[in-house]
Amino acid sequence: MNQDFFQKLNDIIDANIGNTLFGAKELAELMGMSQSSLLRKVRSRTGKSINQYIREVRLKKALQILQEEDVTVSEVTFRLGFNSPSYFSACFRKFHGQLPGEVRKKNGDGLEYKEDVEQHRILDSQELSIQPSESNQDKKTKIIRIAWISAFLLVLIVSGYFLIPKLLKPSKPSSISIAVLPFKFLGEDSTKQYRADGMMLAIQQKLGEIRDLRIISGITMEQYRNSSKTIKTIGRELKVDYVFQGILQMESDTLNLLASLDNVKKEKQVFSNNYIKEWADVFNVQSEVAKDIAAKIKAVVTPEEKMIIERAPTSDLTAYDFYLLGNEHALNNYSIAEIKIAIEMYEEVIKRDSNYVLAWVGLAALNRRIYRQYSTSGTNVENLLLSKKYFDKAKSLSPTLKEVRIEEAKYYYQCKLNFPKALGLLENLKTEYPNDADIYAWIGYIYNRKGEFKKSLEYLEQAISLNPVHWEYWGITAGILRNHRLPESKNAEYYYLKTMELAPSPGMVERILNYYYEIGKLDKAREFLRTHEKVLDLNRVKFHYAQLELYNRNYVEAIKIAQSIPEGEPLGDFFTKHHFMGDVYLSIPDTVKAIYHYSIERDFLLNKLKETKNDWRLFCGLRYVFAGLGMKDQALEADRKIKEILDGLPHSTNFTYQNNIEKILVLVVLGEHDLALEELDTLMKQQSHKYIESLKYYPGWDPVRNHPKFKEIVSNPDYQLNF
């Protein structure tokens, strides 16, 4: 029993060995135990804590890698989830009695690389209290080295470079980190909360200009609005050094900002101040607060950064108010109606101040979002043109502004699909802003689209390490692991559940349920649905329970649940219970009743077609319904229409796999079995996303289940889940 327990424990640690955030809590979750129960079990057998046990598994793996592979110490460090080579080397020497560089010398070519020499130097200076005396040769070498260094420094001084602060800054992300909590608003008019939000966002953006700082973004911090958690708890969850919070009071045209900064580790307030000014001085207050924080935590601020921090976005306070209202509707909102209101607000801004750069950036971003995210029919070309127009205007006003350059990269990535151009822009930004998690994340998104999944995951992991509670990073990582058969794909569930923990939503519940369906974990799907029923609409809950009964071939129960859904109640934009009930009766099979329900669904979809001419999702429904009714020509015409629409979308590759599976199922329903299996075989060979588990249980495949080719596909070892 204990052997099985520790085998499972080691397998989970091994699967997450490169995740720097993987610790006792995450291990307990994946073991299905409480953290305290896991600690008791591990300590009773090993005498170690959970984190110590995880660290020792990593160190044993490190020794194996160093003995068997030609790798640098830095490579091993980050492959095994350590934060820095110096910390890794210290742990390694304590556990194995030698430095990692010494293992390489014994097993490699006898050479010691520069980074290994450096680790010796750092660790020896930190840990050895008695140093051996230097030999004459060592002294001579040291004198020569000092002479060279002195000469080099003299050249720098003469050149003037020594006076440039940025040269003195580290190339790696800084360890000074701050979370800016959502500000509270106190005033007679509670609708002015957007001004407090604007104050918070402006201070966060100004601090983000300082290369020495890592700032947790405003979107992430929304989960802490009105939270009862302590500063200590929030700081530890975010893995930051400081937490900054503020309360904005407004009386007439006077603002009073009560601001405070807390040191998380010391549990001590290090800064507190009242900024009382006229509202006309709001931009000065924002700059003053950012500079005060930087000074208090001794962050290095370059002259260029100071200039950006002190820059006011506009001289027109009414324009600024419209800009804040635009942000209120644009940020944290995925409703097309809200986005259009935001566009109207930003348009009001530029009517009053045509040089308001961030308003032009906002207009470019929102039109890009409409083109990219809300184009289901390929008809949003106007938004593409507007995005370029607005972006060009912003760039003409301020080509070096960080927000302008980020929007330029997003435009080339999402609208023009020019991945090299977008990557070049973002890589330059990453060098200048090494602590900006969003930059790493967007680089990861682009590598995903390029099909370079390993690189994509590396950048997303870096984004998560910089901002561990940004649900979108976790969710997109989960999607990459789910959609591509990778060695790390077994971790998709962990990333999905972490996303759900950070940002529970109906959409995320649906994604996780569909993931469980895909990998054949129907029991897990049922349990997850049971524990998250309240997140979903009641009719969607019923639909999923009915679907689970269909998958388990409990047809009577599936029909009973589906019938309890009110008549005419849509389960999605283009889907009602009659489509589902047609599927159930087709599986029984009861052709007469299947045709009855498919006919009702067809009429529903054709009515929708009058309202929405070119939505590919509508034609997906029609394609299957026509097939269920035996209307082959109409089904194939719907399929042709889907291809036509998807070919015109900038993001059609996102739907290729699912669309192809549904198309093949349509061929099965139409009786074109040989053609269906030929296309299924081709799809499996071409796609990295090869979850065949649903083929094994879904009744829709029953007409070909005993076909030799189908049996060959579902038994192919290359397509089986390896977790």
Side-chain angles (χ1 to χ4, degrees):
M1 179 69 74
N2 279 324
Q3 185 176 356
D4 291 342
F5 171 81
F6 278 95
Q7 181 63 51
K8 180 180 178 183
L9 194 72
N10 290 340
D11 286 345
I12 292 173
I13 295 172
D14 188 58
N16 294 276
I17 205 159
N19 183 354
T20 57
L21 300 177
F22 184 79
K25 179 184 175 185
E26 290 75 20
L27 181 57
E29 289 176 355
L30 292 175
M31 287 291 292
M33 304 173 66
S34 68
Q35 197 168 325
S36 57
S37 298
L38 180 60
L39 176 61
R40 282 196 297 272
K41 183 126 184 165
V42 171
R43 183 163 280 168
S44 67
R45 284 296 307 275
T46 67
K48 300 178 177 67
S49 69
I50 301 171
N51 284 326
Q52 186 181 359
Y53 185 85
I54 294 171
R55 183 166 60 250
E56 291 186 2
V57 170
R58 285 174 163 149
L59 291 169
K60 290 174 184 176
K61 182 72 171 177
L63 180 61
Q64 179 187 344
I65 292 172
L66 287 166
Q67 289 175 336
E68 297 176 358
E69 300 180 30
D70 181 18
V71 292
T72 65
V73 174
S74 290
E75 286 178 286
V76 178
T77 298
F78 297 111
R79 273 176 62 177
L80 298 181
F82 288 90
N83 285 316
S84 71
S86 58
Y87 175 66
F88 164 67
S89 296
C91 293
F92 190 95
R93 182 159 75 172
K94 185 175 181 181
F95 187 70
H96 291 297
Q98 58 184 331
L99 283 166
E102 293 170 347
V103 176
R104 294 182 55 197
K105 287 178 68 176
K106 293 176 184 176
N107 295 281
D109 53 13
L111 297 176
E112 192 168 20
Y113 289 76
K114 180 180 177 182
E115 64 173 349
D116 300 320
V117 174
E118 182 66 10
Q119 293 312 315
H120 280 260
R121 186 190 66 74
I122 293 172
L123 289 166
D124 288 345
S125 65
Q126 288 177 344
E127 297 184 8
L128 299 181
S129 56
I130 301 176
Q131 297 290 344
S133 61
E134 293 180 322
S135 67
N136 288 334
Q137 182 63 37
D138 291 336
K139 290 177 180 178
K140 185 183 291 185
T141 303
K142 188 173 182 180
I143 291 169
I144 293 170
R145 186 186 302 123
I146 292 171
W148 274 107
I149 292 171
S150 300
F152 178 66
L153 290 177
L154 182 60
V155 171
L156 287 178
I157 293 171
V158 172
S159 312
Y161 286 123
F162 193 79
L163 299 176
I164 301 177
K166 284 201 171 185
L167 284 180
L168 302 178
K169 294 195 170 188
S171 60
K172 292 182 180 179
S174 166
S175 60
I176 305 176
S177 49
I178 304 175
V180 182
L181 292 178
F183 285 11
K184 295 178 181 177
F185 178 81
L186 297 178
E188 297 176 359
D189 187 356
S190 61
T191 63
K192 299 290 187 182
Q193 172 64 44
Y194 68 88
R195 285 188 172 178
D197 295 339
M199 181 73 79
M200 180 271 293
L201 181 62
I203 293 170
Q204 172 235 305
Q205 288 175 332
K206 289 179 183 295
L207 290 171
E209 292 291 342
I210 303 172
R211 180 172 173 165
D212 266 1
L213 302 181
R214 174 169 68 90
I215 308 300
I216 302 297
S217 72
I219 293 175
T220 300
M221 299 307 297
E222 274 302 308
Q223 62 187 289
Y224 296 107
R225 191 181 290 276
N226 302 319
S227 173
S228 60
K229 292 180 179 179
T230 63
I231 293 296
K232 180 180 178 181
T233 300
I234 293 172
R236 288 182 174 177
E237 287 180 359
L238 295 168
K239 300 187 186 330
V240 294
D241 302 311
Y242 299 94
V243 173
F244 177 71
Q245 55 186 327
I247 299 175
L248 179 66
Q249 294 180 316
M250 291 289 299
E251 291 185 13
S252 186
D253 290 328
T254 301
L255 71 85
N256 179 9
L257 177 64
L258 293 78
S260 64
L261 184 72
D262 289 80
N263 185 308
V264 174
K265 189 174 181 180
K266 294 181 179 179
E267 298 184 51
K268 179 182 176 182
Q269 189 173 89
V270 296
F271 165 76
S272 180
N273 199 4
N274 273 25
Y275 298 85
I276 304 175
K277 301 276 186 178
E278 294 298 307
W279 179 246
D281 291 323
V282 61
F283 304 128
N284 291 331
V285 171
Q286 294 164 358
S287 301
E288 190 178 341
V289 172
K291 290 188 290 185
D292 286 351
I293 293 172
K296 202 67 181 178
I297 60 179
K298 296 180 173 60
V300 177
V301 181
T302 69
E304 296 92 335
E305 291 166 352
K306 182 173 181 289
M307 183 177 67
I308 295 172
I309 290 170
E310 292 176 346
R311 184 185 297 158
T314 182
S315 58
D316 189 320
L317 289 178
T318 303
Y320 178 62
D321 230 39
F322 276 120
Y323 176 73
L324 295 183
L325 287 168
N327 286 348
E328 193 77 2
H329 290 281
L331 300 178
N332 312 320
N333 204 309
Y334 293 92
S335 160
I336 186 66
E338 291 289 315
I339 287 175
K340 288 181 177 179
I341 294 173
I343 287 175
E344 291 176 6
M345 296 296 104
Y346 291 151
E347 287 173 343
E348 288 296 324
V349 174
I350 60 176
K351 284 178 184 176
R352 300 188 64 90
D353 182 356
S354 61
N355 293 322
Y356 203 131
V357 181
L358 291 178
W360 289 109
V361 172
L363 285 168
L366 292 178
N367 278 280
R368 171 179 51 80
R369 279 175 64 183
I370 293 173
Y371 173 71
R372 176 65 175 79
Q373 295 176 260
Y374 298 93
S375 181
T376 56
S377 60
T379 58
N380 291 347
V381 177
E382 180 186 357
N383 297 104
L384 172 64
L385 298 175
L386 286 172
S387 179
K388 181 67 164 63
K389 173 186 172 183
Y390 295 140
F391 159 69
D392 284 343
K393 178 64 176 178
K395 190 173 181 180
S396 71
L397 292 169
S398 186
T400 61
L401 190 67
K402 178 183 178 183
E403 289 81 2
V404 172
R405 295 161 66 195
I406 288 176
E407 182 56 33
E408 181 179 16
K410 291 178 181 179
Y411 171 80
Y412 279 108
Y413 162 43
Q414 291 192 323
C415 298
K416 304 303 289 183
L417 302 183
N418 188 338
F419 302 147
K421 175 78 170 177
L423 281 173
L425 292 164
L426 289 169
E427 287 289 353
N428 288 336
L429 282 161
K430 176 171 69 72
T431 302
E432 295 178 42
Y433 301 96
N435 293 301
D436 192 313
D438 266 351
I439 293 172
Y440 288 90
W442 279 91
I443 294 174
Y445 303 159
I446 296 172
Y447 276 120
N448 175 45
R449 285 297 302 274
K450 281 169 61 69
E452 297 182 43
F453 305 120
K454 184 178 179 182
K455 276 191 174 181
S456 174
L457 293 172
E458 287 171 358
Y459 275 99
L460 282 165
E461 283 298 327
Q462 181 65 33
I464 289 172
S465 71
L466 290 169
N467 188 345
V469 294
H470 197 311
W471 66 268
E472 196 170 80
Y473 303 161
W474 290 90
I476 290 178
T477 302
I480 293 170
L481 295 173
R482 167 187 176 177
N483 292 336
H484 306 286
R485 189 167 288 272
L486 304 167
E488 304 88 352
S489 289
K490 64 183 76 175
N491 299 324
E493 179 183 18
Y494 167 72
Y495 282 89
Y496 267 133
L497 294 178
K498 185 67 176 181
T499 309
M500 187 67 192
E501 174 192 325
L502 294 171
S505 69
M508 189 49 58
V509 171
E510 299 276 359
R511 284 189 186 90
I512 295 173
L513 287 172
N514 288 328
Y515 171 68
Y516 283 138
Y517 299 155
E518 284 182 356
I519 64 174
K521 303 294 184 184
L522 300 183
D523 289 342
K524 276 196 170 183
R526 187 181 295 276
E527 178 59 22
F528 181 79
L529 178 60
R530 185 187 66 78
T531 55
H532 294 86
E533 286 182 358
K534 293 182 179 179
V535 181
L536 288 178
D537 174 78
L538 176 60
N539 291 324
R540 287 298 297 177
V541 172
K542 290 180 179 180
F543 166 68
H544 279 291
Y545 278 123
Q547 198 164 236
L548 283 165
E549 298 301 335
L550 170 62
Y551 294 160
N552 286 302
R553 299 177 185 275
N554 298 324
Y555 301 130
V556 173
E557 187 62 25
I559 291 169
K560 180 180 176 183
I561 296 172
Q563 285 176 332
S564 70
I565 298 172
E567 190 64 37
E569 188 70 29
L571 296 172
D573 289 332
F574 308 109
F575 184 77
T576 75
K577 68 178 183 181
H578 291 289
H579 187 140
F580 173 76
M581 292 178 73
D583 293 348
V584 177
Y585 282 116
L586 197 64
S587 302
I588 290 177
D590 186 332
T591 307
V592 174
K593 289 185 178 178
I595 289 175
Y596 169 76
H597 287 286
Y598 282 142
S599 296
I600 297 174
E601 187 72 7
R602 176 197 59 198
D603 294 343
F604 165 76
L605 292 172
L606 290 175
N607 281 327
K608 279 283 185 180
L609 188 59
K610 296 174 184 177
E611 306 167 12
T612 310
K613 295 292 183 184
N614 288 305
D615 195 308
W616 66 271
R617 299 169 299 171
L618 189 153
F619 285 99
C620 282
L622 280 171
R623 177 176 59 184
Y624 201 91
V625 167
F626 282 140
L629 292 169
M631 302 169 71
K632 181 177 179 179
D633 291 343
Q634 290 88 335
L636 295 179
E637 174 59 22
D639 182 69
R640 186 198 64 76
K641 188 67 176 176
I642 293 166
K643 184 178 186 308
E644 176 188 309
I645 296 170
L646 288 180
D647 284 347
L649 296 183
H651 53 297
S652 60
T653 52
N654 291 353
F655 309 104
T656 299
Y657 179 79
Q658 186 59 37
N659 177 52
N660 283 333
I661 283 289
E662 291 177 4
K663 176 183 176 180
I664 293 166
L665 269 172
V666 166
L667 292 174
V668 171
V669 174
L670 291 172
E672 299 284 350
H673 296 170
D674 290 339
L675 178 58
L677 293 173
E678 181 183 332
E679 293 202 9
L680 181 62
D681 187 42
T682 301
L683 180 65
M684 291 295 111
K685 288 175 180 175
Q686 291 177 346
Q687 292 280 338
S688 64
H689 181 162
K690 299 186 182 95
Y691 290 127
I692 60 164
E693 304 307 308
S694 63
L695 276 65
K696 297 176 181 179
Y697 67 76
Y698 183 55
W701 297 101
D702 285 355
V704 295
R705 195 165 300 282
N706 294 320
H707 195 291
K709 189 64 179 177
F710 185 81
K711 290 182 177 180
E712 177 189 330
I713 292 170
V714 296
S715 62
N716 188 322
D718 292 338
Y719 305 154
Q720 307 305 311
L721 285 179
N722 57 4
F723 55 90

